[in-house]
């Protein structure tokens, strides 16, 4: 079987998923600290579908940037070392207070964030006042001295200096991280329109797989692919319905597809190579999914296509759904996801940096790669800046993948590389 180049298959998967970019649904997300605490995942990896205008100005009012005295700058024009100006201490203004108008010849103790009282136009930090500490609030007849003039606006944070009411707060397409959610909260926005997550039906297959916690009979193994890909898909901004198929019978897989809820994408794992019974090939081949070989290792055997599910629980029989089929070795499955799906899904979700940055560093030791294949090896970036491979190239070595911080690219044509030779890599320690 002639193998397809990695770039060609990436292109084919991109073409298959292209319609999803045209049909992105949106939904309303209600924002509050209670909801965020109750459902943090609901707010993770979210992208604004519509721009948000600021309903208020931030800050909403002129306020103090320092703990100190609110003054009229005109009162301190003549202040100088040796000839300080004394002002009568007015009522204290804390953050949250409203404050009353500042009379000429007075200075109001003011705390950071408290509104500048009408009449005042500058704040002198407490350290620059004499005495350099606040008088007890019971002191009604105190004075405070200043030995320097102050310019209009000093340590005043003007209303709207961060954002003005009606201005663009966040454009459509903004990824909602802590700062973006924070500015929405800070302006009192409670409802936002976000891209709906891509819904993925994930089917890990194999007669031998069992869920964690179940007893294992001879020959059986725990299902790691459902966990690997559920997590990887979540990180890429998807919602996942995982329906493992612990059977090699095509009819069981088809029944599972029929019973599954409506989704935007189906991902299968396992059952695609050259065995006597390959459940994914057997079930989906006749429906039009193509199975082929990509010149990469791990991740050689791949499948992709579209299926119109025979009939479904919620009656969406007609809509064809894209299917991407990965090989069952866990390392092959995760590397296939990295190469073929992660960039597209992150782009669909509007997440930053859909493609991993291609970085370059020298190899710590010599390496060999199979001729005619693009090999991806697991490795770590050593403190000396060289790339050290962890574990061998085999695609069952999930434990060494778990120790890796980089994926090292050994492309077609690079059959041997000497220690010190620079190669490309992706950082995966995010
Ligand atoms: N004669 C050939 N044999 C194989 C070829 C080939 O070209 N000719 N390709 C090999 C390569 S490369 C890969 S990769 C695998 C892919 O096989 P399948 O996609 O059919 O996957 P399975 O046979 O179902 O499983 C492979 C391996 O992975 C284990 N596995 C499967 N599912 C899970 C799971 N959910 N959790 C943990 N481990 C899982 C399974 O037990 C097998 O050991 O085919 C090679 N063979
Ligand atoms: O291509 Mo398979 O995915 O090496 O192990």
């Amino acid at each position: 079987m002639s193998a397809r180049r990695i770039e060609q298959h990436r292109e084919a998967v991109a073409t298959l998923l292209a319609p999803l970019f045209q049909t992105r649904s949106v939904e309303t997300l209600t924002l509050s600290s209670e909801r965020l605490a109750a459902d943090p995942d609901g707010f993770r990896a979210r992208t604004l579908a519509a721009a948000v205008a600021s309903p208020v100005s931030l800050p909403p009012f002129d306020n103090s940037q320092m703990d100190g005295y609110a003054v009229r700058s005109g009162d301190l024009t003549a202040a100088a070392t040796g000839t300080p100006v004394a002002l009568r201490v007015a009522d204290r203004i804390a953050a949250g207070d409203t404050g009353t108008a500042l009379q000429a010849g007075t200075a109001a103790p003011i705390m950071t964030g408290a509104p500048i009282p009408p009449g005042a136009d500058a704040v002198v930090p407490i350290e620059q006042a004499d005495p350099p500490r606040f008088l007890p609030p019971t002191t009604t007849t105190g004075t405070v001295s200043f030995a320097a003039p102050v310019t209009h606006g000093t340590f005043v944070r003007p209303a709207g200096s961060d954002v003005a009411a009606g201005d663009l707060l966040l454009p459509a397409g903004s990824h909602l991280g802590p700062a973006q959610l924070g500015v929405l909260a800070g302006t009192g926005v409670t409802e936002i329109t976000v891209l709906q997550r891509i819904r993925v039906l994930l089917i890990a297959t194999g007669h031998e797989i069992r869920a964690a916690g179940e007893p294992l009979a001879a020959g059986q193994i725990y299902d790691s692919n459902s966990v690997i890909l559920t997590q990887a898909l979540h990180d890429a901004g998807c919602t996942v319905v995982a329906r493992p198929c612990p059977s090699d019978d095509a009819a069981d897989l088809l029944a599972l597809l029929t019973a599954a809820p409506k989704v935007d994408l189906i991902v299968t794992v396992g059952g695609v190579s050259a065995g006597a019974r390959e459940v994914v090939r057997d079930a989906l081949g006749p429906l039009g999914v193509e199975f082929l070989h990509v010149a990469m290792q791990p991740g050689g055997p791949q499948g992709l296509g579209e299926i119109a599910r025979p009939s479904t629980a919620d009656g969406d029989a007609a809509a064809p759904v894209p299917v991407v089929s990965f090989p069952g070795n866990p390392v092959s499955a995760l590397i296939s996801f990295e190469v073929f799906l992660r960039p597209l899904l992150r782009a669909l979700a509007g997440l930053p940096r859909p493609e991993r940055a291609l970085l370059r560093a020298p190899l710590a030791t010599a390496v060999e790669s199979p001729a005619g294949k693009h090999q991806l090896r697991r490795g770590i970036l050593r403190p000396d800046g060289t790339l050290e491979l962890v574990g061998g190239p085999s695609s069952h070595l999930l434990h060494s993948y778990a120790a890796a911080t980089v994926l090292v690219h050994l492309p077609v044509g690079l059959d041997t590389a000497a220690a010190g030779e620079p190669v490309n890599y992706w950082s995966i320690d995010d």
Side-chain angles (χ1 to χ4, degrees):
M1 198 198 319
S2 75
R4 183 184 261 187
R5 281 188 300 111
I6 201 169
E7 296 77 16
Q8 286 175 308
H9 196 61
R10 269 169 69 100
E11 198 55 46
V13 179
T15 304
L16 179 71
L17 299 198
L20 295 184
F21 284 90
Q22 314 307 323
T23 54
R24 293 309 318 275
S25 307
V26 302
E27 62 185 335
T28 301
L29 202 60
T30 303
L31 178 62
S32 72
S33 54
E34 289 77 22
R35 276 176 182 265
L36 195 51
D39 178 25
D41 277 347
F43 293 83
R44 214 163 269 149
R46 285 297 201 173
T47 299
L48 269 188
V52 179
S54 187
V56 295
S57 291
L58 276 187
F61 44 84
D62 293 356
N63 69 93
S64 177
Q65 190 175 331
M66 291 287 184
D67 300 317
Y69 284 97
V71 297
R72 293 168 172 258
S73 57
D75 283 349
L76 299 184
T77 318
T81 316
T83 56
V85 171
L87 299 177
R88 191 165 50 77
V89 176
D91 288 343
R92 182 179 286 189
I93 313 167
D97 288 351
T98 48
T100 52
L102 187 77
Q103 304 305 315
T106 68
I110 191 165
M111 308 307 139
T112 305
I116 301 291
D121 68 334
V123 172
V124 180
I126 186 70
E127 304 87 314
Q128 293 167 21
D130 182 16
R133 75 196 79 84
F134 292 108
L135 304 179
T138 47
T139 312
T140 50
T141 56
T143 60
V144 59
S145 297
F146 301 93
V150 61
T151 46
H152 172 89
T154 300
F155 292 128
V156 173
R157 304 191 289 204
S161 52
D162 193 8
V163 63
D167 277 3
L168 178 66
L169 191 61
L170 294 172
S174 297
H175 171 55
L176 299 179
Q180 292 74 20
L181 288 169
V183 82
L184 289 165
T187 47
V189 174
T190 54
E191 295 219 322
I192 47 177
T193 309
V194 295
L195 292 180
Q196 213 171 61
R197 296 190 194 281
I198 295 287
R199 297 158 302 176
V200 181
L201 172 62
L202 171 65
I203 306 179
T205 64
H207 180 59
E208 72 279 28
I209 61 169
R210 290 293 175 275
E214 286 183 27
L216 290 186
Q220 295 179 340
I221 57 168
Y222 287 120
D223 173 8
S224 43
N225 285 338
S226 290
V227 170
I228 292 170
L229 287 174
T230 295
Q231 189 62 13
L233 287 160
H234 277 158
D235 286 351
C238 302
T239 52
V240 182
V241 178
R243 296 274 191 275
C245 179
S247 158
D248 286 342
D249 192 334
D252 290 334
L253 179 48
L254 290 174
L256 213 147
L257 278 176
T258 304
K262 184 175 175 178
V263 291
D264 305 300
L265 169 67
I266 298 169
V267 175
T268 70
V269 206
V272 300
S273 59
R277 291 185 85 185
E278 297 290 10
V279 66
V280 171
R281 264 177 185 269
D282 295 347
L284 304 188
L287 300 182
V289 175
E290 182 190 6
F291 294 93
L292 48 101
H293 229 85
V294 177
M296 69 185 266
Q297 194 281 323
Q302 298 284 339
L304 85 172
E306 269 187 333
I307 59 168
R309 284 184 288 156
S311 67
T312 65
D314 46 13
D316 72 321
V321 183
V323 181
V324 175
S325 295
F326 291 152
N329 278 307
V331 172
S332 312
L334 185 51
I335 287 200
S336 299
F337 177 83
E338 281 283 344
V339 173
F340 299 119
L341 271 187
R342 184 183 183 274
L344 288 168
L345 293 175
R346 286 185 67 87
L348 273 166
L351 295 179
R353 297 175 299 285
E355 294 278 355
R356 291 199 188 276
L358 200 57
L359 306 166
R360 207 160 163 78
L363 286 164
T365 50
V367 61
E368 290 188 358
S369 168
K373 289 190 179 175
H374 185 127
Q375 194 176 52
L376 285 118
R377 293 286 299 267
R378 283 65 66 203
I380 55 169
L381 185 64
R382 297 200 315 196
D384 68 0
T386 61
L387 293 168
E388 178 185 332
L389 301 180
V390 291
S394 294
S395 49
H396 64 294
L397 301 173
L398 187 56
H399 180 227
S400 37
Y401 199 144
T405 58
V406 300
L407 291 179
V408 177
H409 290 269
L410 303 172
V412 174
L414 190 79
D415 301 347
T416 58
E421 193 168 324
V423 291
N424 290 336
Y425 71 95
W426 284 334
S427 196
I428 53 162
D429 58 354
D430 49 7

